[in-house]
Amino acid sequence: MTDRPTPRPDRPHDLIGIGIGPFNLSLAALAHTTPHPLTTAFYEQNPAFHWHPGLLIDGATLQVPFLADLVTLADPTSPWTFLNYLRTRQRLYPFYFAERFHTHRTEYDAYCRWVSHQLPTLHFSHQVDAIRWNPDRSHFEVDYTRLDPHGEAEALGRAHTRHIALGIGTEPFIPEPLRPLATAPNTPVIHSADYLHHREDLLHADHITVIGSGQSGAEIFLDLLRARPLGAERIHWLARTPAFAPMEYSKLGLEHFTPDYTRYFHALPEAVRDTLVPSQWQLHKGIDTDTITAIHDELYRRSLHGGWPDATLTPGVHVRTAGRITGTRIELHLEHTQQGTRTRLTTDAVVLATGYRERPLDTLLTALTPHIRRDAAARPRIDETYRLDLDPAITGHIYVQNAERHTHGVGAPDLGLAAWRSATILNDLTGTNPYPLPPRTAFTTFGLTPHHQPHIPDQNTGPHSLSH
């Protein structure tokens, strides 16, 4: 491991990262081993790294291969690769014989924590409060609060930096009809992000409803189904999508998660991009076929006694309204999109596997709001190298991670593009190309190149042409 320099008190950092999830952890790891040393610091308000702790369901795997770790696809020689993690744990041979291309989520979480423990540039229990531009010194000022072990303010601080990387991640999305219930005390309506924290209470509920047709919804439904008594499962699984559909996982389909497609998508007109993302839901909101198979196998096993399991799976449904009735029971008012029919469902607990939304950047960037250029929908414009489009008065760059789906497409939250995006940011920041990236990454050619047509010889010209 190479020691990195610390900035002198009178000089700013080269880069400060805000938020330490997998994406800024990837950036911190690659920044730590650049040929020309960078002075960096990364701040996170939580006391330690944890990746979706409420969804580390026993046996659940990542939907990307192990090569989609923090660094490999940009620098396979890095000391922070997943394979090197296995080597340090003396687990290379067990992994080799397991022949697993997709690792367990718990293992990915442990790998990321291993990396986080070794990078001295990471500062946990640091809550960033504000970012401003200092025009006199031509750098950013970052105000933060250092938190004690109880999460209370311990001290205030300020750091200075030439550039910033925002990796503040996403937050659980709760549909509007269910928001009052999800925020009310002692009401068993939880988001899937907190599933494992409430699992035992859920299993004691008489009837459970899972809402959401993506991978998390499928895994939670399967986990609950396996734990419920045979013939008395009493579970509903509802989804807005027209089917419990498999994720697009064909070889050419996966090329939508390549840098080639990201570049193609970024160059499209804004209106076209906005229509594309919702139509591509099966690329990132479907269910992997192993999970679908496991669900069907479990349901079939429960029918061997001659009856049907007490489990209802209904796609094409959305919740119109919801409310509490007697005690802690919940009444959901449902509508079927295709039929146009409506009904009510009474349940004792609801798990919302309704996904995540990007956290708004404006809260942290209030002081910079007048300087951020926006698109027709008032969203920040983000260039191809992941920089916010700022007016020329601000000479520092603000890079974003997983806040650019509207400009870069469905690959924005995908772990498989983490290392490539981090390398792109560092190449742009340093101007020295420390991580050379391939110019082509897909067999598919997305779009046509204007004014470039293959040359086709005229069959009626040349020395062997026929005269008529």
Side-chain angles (χ1 to χ4, degrees):
M1 184 173 71
T2 305
D3 291 334
R4 297 284 97 177
T6 55
R8 286 168 31 187
D10 61 332
R11 290 188 179 180
H13 290 80
D14 293 313
L15 176 70
I16 282 181
I18 300 171
I20 305 176
F23 297 137
N24 260 357
L25 185 59
S26 164
L27 185 63
L30 288 172
H32 197 77
T33 51
T34 52
H36 301 286
L38 295 172
T39 55
T40 66
F42 290 78
Y43 298 123
E44 166 61 48
Q45 65 181 3
N46 290 315
F49 182 94
H50 284 291
W51 184 73
H52 295 303
L55 277 171
L56 300 180
I57 299 170
D58 188 32
T61 60
L62 288 183
Q63 293 170 273
V64 292
F66 73 90
L67 290 173
D69 61 15
L70 300 173
V71 294
T72 293
L73 292 175
D75 180 14
T77 67
S78 166
W80 317 120
T81 65
F82 178 73
L83 288 180
N84 195 41
Y85 161 74
L86 292 176
R87 184 189 66 82
T88 64
R89 293 295 188 269
Q90 299 183 3
R91 294 187 55 243
L92 265 177
Y93 271 91
F95 181 76
Y96 167 59
F97 289 120
E99 296 185 347
R100 298 194 66 91
F101 203 47
H102 295 79
T103 61
H104 288 96
R105 287 187 188 173
T106 52
E107 191 168 33
Y108 179 79
D109 177 61
Y111 153 68
C112 287
R113 284 189 280 112
W114 170 76
V115 174
S116 72
H117 291 159
Q118 299 178 76
L119 291 174
T121 56
L122 307 186
H123 304 277
F124 291 94
S125 296
H126 281 64
Q127 174 186 291
V128 173
D129 303 310
I131 302 168
R132 68 181 63 83
W133 177 252
N134 185 325
D136 297 326
R137 301 180 67 181
S138 296
H139 65 231
F140 293 102
E141 296 175 344
V142 178
D143 292 341
Y144 61 81
T145 302
R146 193 170 70 238
L147 307 175
D148 66 18
H150 304 289
E152 301 296 328
E154 187 175 66
L156 300 178
R158 176 174 293 174
H160 306 266
T161 183
R162 294 185 180 89
H163 307 292
I164 285 172
L166 290 177
I168 58 177
T170 56
E171 58 190 2
F173 172 71
I174 299 174
E176 189 62 41
L178 290 149
R179 199 163 294 165
L181 291 175
T183 55
N186 303 317
T187 304
V189 177
I190 66 162
H191 192 271
S192 58
D194 298 317
Y195 170 67
L196 287 183
H197 308 314
H198 298 272
R199 183 177 183 272
E200 290 307 312
D201 291 335
L202 288 168
L203 289 176
H204 286 99
D206 183 55
H207 183 278
I208 309 170
T209 300
V210 179
I211 299 176
S213 63
Q215 184 67 20
S216 296
E219 290 173 350
I220 288 170
F221 174 78
L222 177 60
D223 185 61
L224 291 170
L225 181 65
R226 286 171 168 168
R228 303 285 275 184
L230 187 67
E233 294 83 3
R234 296 188 52 74
I235 309 176
H236 264 69
W237 185 16
L238 308 174
R240 293 179 65 98
T241 54
F244 295 105
M247 184 171 291
E248 168 56 70
Y249 213 75
S250 66
K251 304 300 183 186
L252 291 178
L254 287 175
E255 291 194 340
H256 285 85
F257 299 96
T258 59
D260 284 14
Y261 182 76
T262 300
R263 286 189 287 265
Y264 161 78
F265 184 92
H266 187 271
L268 291 172
E270 178 185 329
V272 177
R273 296 198 303 253
D274 287 347
T275 59
L276 261 181
V277 172
S279 70
Q280 295 173 327
W281 65 272
Q282 235 174 307
L283 288 171
H284 59 104
K285 291 186 178 180
I287 308 166
D288 75 57
T289 54
D290 288 344
T291 306
I292 290 177
T293 300
I295 289 172
H296 193 275
D297 287 348
E298 182 64 23
L299 291 169
Y300 180 77
R301 183 184 72 80
R302 288 169 178 262
S303 72
L304 296 179
H305 66 287
W308 289 81
D310 188 5
T312 303
L313 294 71
T314 309
V317 173
H318 69 272
V319 178
R320 295 174 51 249
T321 59
R324 284 177 65 166
I325 52 176
T326 55
T328 59
R329 303 209 81 194
I330 299 155
E331 186 174 80
L332 305 175
H333 294 202
L334 309 177
E335 181 172 0
H336 195 280
T337 306
Q338 295 175 353
Q339 285 183 325
T341 52
R342 295 180 176 181
T343 190
R344 298 178 182 182
L345 172 65
T346 301
T347 188
D348 296 286
V350 178
V351 181
L352 300 172
T354 46
Y356 298 79
R357 294 292 185 273
E358 297 167 355
R359 284 194 174 94
L361 304 179
D362 293 340
T363 305
L364 273 179
L365 302 179
T366 300
L368 296 169
T369 296
H371 303 285
I372 300 174
R373 293 175 171 172
R374 299 178 183 271
D375 64 15
R379 298 166 300 197
R381 291 181 178 173
I382 302 167
D383 73 12
E384 193 172 349
T385 57
Y386 300 95
R387 298 182 302 194
L388 291 182
D389 187 358
L390 305 172
D391 69 47
I394 298 179
T395 56
H397 301 320
I398 299 179
Y399 300 94
V400 297
Q401 302 230 58
N402 196 12
E404 72 285 358
R405 186 179 299 186
H406 63 291
T407 56
H408 288 67
V410 293
D414 191 77
L415 294 175
L417 283 171
W420 178 80
R421 178 170 49 200
S422 294
T424 299
I425 290 172
L426 292 171
N427 288 350
D428 181 73
L429 184 151
T430 63
T432 59
N433 204 35
Y435 295 106
L437 297 172
R440 182 174 180 179
T441 55
F443 290 112
T444 305
T445 301
F446 298 100
L448 299 175
T449 303
H451 311 301
H452 178 74
Q453 299 294 333
H455 175 67
I456 303 175
D458 187 341
Q459 295 182 2
N460 293 325
T461 60
H464 302 292
S465 62
L466 298 176
S467 299
H468 296 281

